Amino acid sequence: MSITKKATALAVGLGLVALPALTACGSSDDGGDGGGGGSRTVTLVSHNSWAVSKDVLAAFEKQSGYKVRVLKDGDAGQAVNKAILTKDNPQGDVFFGVDNTLLSRALDNGLFQSYEAKGSDLVMPEFRVDQDKHRVTPVDTGDVCVNYDKAYFSEHELAPPTSFDDLVKPAYKDLLVTENASTSSPGLGFLLGTAAKYGDGGTSRSSEAESGGGWEGYWKKLKANGVKVVDGWEQAYNEEFSGSAGGKKAKGDRPLVVSYASSPPAEVIYADPKPTSAPTGVADGTCFRQVEYAGLLSNAKNAEGGKALLDFLLTKEFQDDMPLNMFVYPVREGAQVPKEFTEFGPAAKNPETMDPAKIAAHRDDWVKSWTSLVLR
């Protein structure tokens, strides 16, 4: 979640200002160690979208006795790959931000050691994975979906699309921008959504999809209908998309973009003045559900501090605080969902999903085929 950057701090996947590729924040009293080894400092490694309220983090630090140091290391894919490369001498103790599209890569490479976090029994069953080894802890969930610019469709007296099938219709030619599936978490999520919807060929669940074409047949039609592909979410949402605050400033001309179901409430919350309704909407039938996990890194120098931090991520205090900081949904039963989410960006009713094992078996081949089909 990838989904998951802010307008001066616009939120997960919703920022107007990109963060540095590697930043450190938090405090430390470990006498200069900084890595957490034998100290009261615990280090969290994450993608750029990690955020928590200062008072919530301070309460954890006071209760646990640990100071939290945070290393933000690019987007989700970049952060996961770097964590794998450095697993023998990790940058920190806990990694946050590997989602179900990349989970198998992390597990297969031995990135995490086993730990069942306190509160795991309160995680909603549909988000639990790896129950025999407990190498990862579910933390949040969100939906990758096509967003649309309400003003554009109103001005053109055109109904916005509601499904994958709609996107290949002539009425929506040259309107959609998406991210590269090989370099972007939402781009990959969108590809997996089409694979879940249309299958590998001959298994399409849509009467309007090209018969026998599966997801590749669908993407051939999408390419013929003028889909634009850019490297990442920041460019797609804040430069190409006409409906976002950043896109308006950049004079973006694409009224459809692959983003998140939580993008519309962020557009409301960070606007000044705040509108009474979101300027963007979500095509509910184009959504793919992502789940983000955290885990105790193999060879963590401060394993006990890492375990305490993982316990914290499942507390009601953190789960209640998380939505308006990272624009994702909590996974703990009974956690609060902000009214802005239910009003402007409710979770998809029937998102596409895919078992992590199936993603593991096909992801790399699908991305290679997609690259050859769409980019060449």
Side-chain angles (χ1 to χ4, degrees), residues 7 10 14-16 149 233 237-239 241-252 263 266-268 270-272 279-280:
L10 198 27
L14 292 174
L16 298 179
D149 178 356
W233 178 90
Y237 193 84
N238 285 321
E239 296 180 21
F241 179 46
S242 62
S244 70
K248 287 182 173 66
K249 292 180 180 179
K251 302 187 183 303
S263 299
E267 288 290 343
V268 173
Y270 290 100
D272 186 18
T280 59

Side-chain angles (χ1 to χ4, degrees), residues 327-352:
F327 281 77
V328 287
Y329 279 81
V331 297
R332 176 185 165 122
E333 293 178 352
Q336 296 181 356
V337 176
K339 62 180 178 60
E340 292 92 344
F341 275 39
T342 57
E343 184 175 357
F344 303 118
K349 295 178 181 177
N350 296 293
E352 298 295 338

Side-chain angles (χ1 to χ4, degrees), residues 196-216:
K197 174 71 173 176
Y198 299 113
D200 273 323
T203 58
S204 170
R205 302 203 311 267
S206 169
S207 60
E208 295 185 40
E210 185 174 312
S211 177
W215 72 263
E216 289 180 306

Side-chain angles (χ1 to χ4, degrees), residues 31 102 108 136 192 219 229 331 339:
L102 296 170
D108 291 347
V136 289
L192 294 176
W219 275 91
V229 179
V331 297
K339 62 180 178 60

Side-chain angles (χ1 to χ4, degrees), residues 300-311:
K301 293 181 177 66
N302 188 355
E304 291 307 309
K307 292 174 182 179
L309 183 55
L310 286 170
D311 294 345

Side-chain angles (χ1 to χ4, degrees), residues 29-352:
D29 60 355
D30 61 358
D33 175 38
S39 75
R40 300 304 294 175
T41 295
V42 57
T43 301
L44 175 75
V45 182
S46 175
H47 53 55
N48 281 346
S49 297
W50 162 266
V52 61
S53 295
K54 290 182 178 180
D55 59 337
V56 172
L57 183 60
F60 164 72
E61 292 182 327
K62 181 177 181 180
Q63 178 273 326
S64 68
Y66 290 106
K67 290 291 184 179
V68 178
R69 178 174 180 253
V70 181
L71 294 177
K72 296 181 179 180
D73 204 1
D75 65 22
Q78 175 184 334
V80 170
N81 289 338
K82 186 169 182 178
I84 290 171
L85 290 172
T86 60
K87 67 178 182 179
D88 293 334
N89 186 26
Q91 293 178 288
D93 307 301
V94 170
F95 184 91
F96 164 78
V98 59
D99 64 37
N100 52 317
T101 68
L102 296 170
L103 180 61
S104 64
R105 182 177 296 169
L107 296 182
D108 291 347
N109 281 278
L111 185 59
F112 303 115
Q113 57 182 290
S114 178
Y115 176 66
E116 185 175 4
K118 294 177 182 178
S120 293
D121 58 323
L122 297 175
V123 172
M124 288 177 269
E126 61 266 34
F127 302 125
R128 301 178 189 177
V129 296
D130 197 44
Q131 289 295 283
D132 55 337
K133 297 182 180 179
H134 298 289
R135 289 169 292 180
V136 289
T137 300
V139 177
D140 65 75
T141 184
D143 298 323
V144 172
C145 311
V146 169
N147 285 206
Y148 60 86
D149 178 356
K150 289 181 178 179
Y152 175 92
F153 287 96
S154 176
E155 292 167 4
H156 289 77
E157 299 183 345
L158 176 65
T162 61
S163 66
F164 285 114
D165 285 341
D166 284 347
L167 298 176
V168 299
K169 293 178 178 179
Y172 305 104
K173 185 176 178 62
D174 298 330
L175 301 188
L176 174 66
V177 58
T178 188
E179 301 86 357
N180 189 325
S182 68
T183 59
S184 163
S185 177
L188 177 57
F190 187 59
L191 168 59
L192 294 176
T194 63
K197 174 71 173 176
Y198 299 113
D200 273 323
T203 58
S204 170
R205 302 203 311 267
S206 169
S207 60
E208 295 185 40
E210 185 174 312
S211 177
W215 72 263
E216 289 180 306
Y218 175 79
W219 275 91
K220 288 178 183 177
K221 297 177 74 174
L222 199 62
K223 183 178 181 181
N225 211 39
V227 64
K228 184 173 185 176
V229 179
V230 297
D231 286 341
W233 178 90
E234 189 74 30
Q235 181 181 357
Y237 193 84
N238 285 321
E239 296 180 21
E240 303 287 345
F241 179 46
S242 62
S244 70
K248 287 182 173 66
K249 292 180 180 179
K251 302 187 183 303
D253 61 1
R254 294 267 165 163
L256 298 173
V257 65
V258 172
S259 191
Y260 299 90
S262 56
S263 299
E267 288 290 343
V268 173
I269 291 167
Y270 290 100
D272 186 18
K274 291 185 179 180
T276 56
S277 62
T280 59
V282 169
D284 193 67
T286 65
C287 298
F288 177 79
R289 180 142 296 168
Q290 289 186 323
V291 183
E292 280 192 307
Y293 306 90
L296 183 63
L297 287 165
S298 297
N299 303 305
K301 293 181 177 66
N302 188 355
E304 291 307 309
K307 292 174 182 179
L309 183 55
L310 286 170
D311 294 345
F312 166 63
L313 299 183
L314 287 185
T315 61
K316 191 172 188 301
E317 290 76 13
F318 179 83
Q319 290 279 305
D320 285 349
D321 178 71
M322 182 175 60
L324 290 180
N325 279 291
M326 296 195 287
F327 281 77
V328 287
Y329 279 81
V331 297
R332 176 185 165 122
E333 293 178 352
Q336 296 181 356
V337 176
K339 62 180 178 60
E340 292 92 344
F341 275 39
T342 57
E343 184 175 357
F344 303 118
K349 295 178 181 177
N350 296 293
E352 298 295 338

